[in-house]
Amino acid sequence: MLIIGGNEVSYGQESGEAGGYRGQMERELGARVDWTRVHFLGRLPYADYVKVIQISRCHIYLTVPFVLSWSLLEAMSMQATMVASDTAPVREVITHGETGLLVDFLSPEALARQVIDVLARPGDYVGLGPAARARVVRDHDFLTRRGPFTSRG
């Protein structure tokens, strides 16, 4: 498993735990995870980030009902097969079974089952990536979208 991103907070508030949210997660999961198979890549140059998304077979995006991160739209635009938390901001761009797969944020078991299924049967999910890209291009592409926030609107 590859985890991209720094340990500092970009949205919301600090963890307050030693080691931040990463440290909190590592303590909570403890020996239930084979940490030799988890690789924390930190913040990556954009070109490297793109390469990681492009080779990924499944992109997991979890967020609490707060804000939608640009990284979700980026991964969708690169046709990643998304498994994401079924929370309000995510439902704005992911429709379950059409542009990605939604799981209960508070159910790690449901998340694990869905990811395992995506990895075990990738052919069953092959249409999600292109549909996700189409949704992002249609609704969020700054170069082609007309509207109040574009110079061509």
Side-chain angles (χ1 to χ4, degrees):
M1 172 181 282
L2 304 176
I3 299 178
I4 300 171
N7 200 31
E8 59 280 343
V9 174
S10 298
Y11 308 100
Q13 57 184 289
E14 297 286 332
S15 159
E17 299 272 339
Y21 287 109
R22 174 181 169 178
Q24 182 179 346
M25 175 195 65
E26 289 172 334
R27 282 187 295 283
E28 286 178 12
L29 295 175
R32 292 181 292 170
V33 172
D34 179 356
W35 294 104
T36 65
R37 298 182 60 147
V38 178
H39 306 279
F40 293 93
L41 303 180
R43 292 183 179 265
L44 296 176
Y46 186 72
D48 293 338
Y49 166 77
V50 168
K51 289 176 188 173
V52 170
I53 299 301
Q54 289 174 331
I55 65 168
S56 296
R57 291 182 40 210
C58 182
H59 185 83
I60 302 169
Y61 179 83
L62 302 175
T63 188
V64 296
F66 181 56
V67 296
L68 188 67
S69 171
W70 63 269
S71 65
L72 175 63
L73 297 176
E74 287 275 327
M76 290 175 69
S77 74
M78 290 184 256
Q79 300 187 34
T81 300
M82 305 298 304
V83 175
S85 56
D86 188 4
T87 52
V90 177
R91 286 191 300 266
E92 293 177 24
V93 294
I94 293 182
T95 302
H96 183 75
E98 292 179 23
T99 56
L101 301 163
L102 299 173
V103 296
D104 182 349
F105 180 79
L106 298 175
S107 177
E109 296 83 10
L111 171 65
R113 279 191 306 273
Q114 187 64 78
V115 170
I116 289 167
D117 196 53
V118 167
L119 296 175
R121 301 180 314 130
D124 290 355
Y125 302 100
V126 72
L128 294 178
R133 177 174 173 75
R135 167 81 53 88
V136 171
V137 168
R138 184 190 74 211
D139 296 343
H140 301 283
D141 182 10
F142 292 124
L143 299 177
T144 61
R145 186 170 176 220
R146 295 184 182 272
F149 303 109
T150 64
S151 61
R152 294 178 281 168

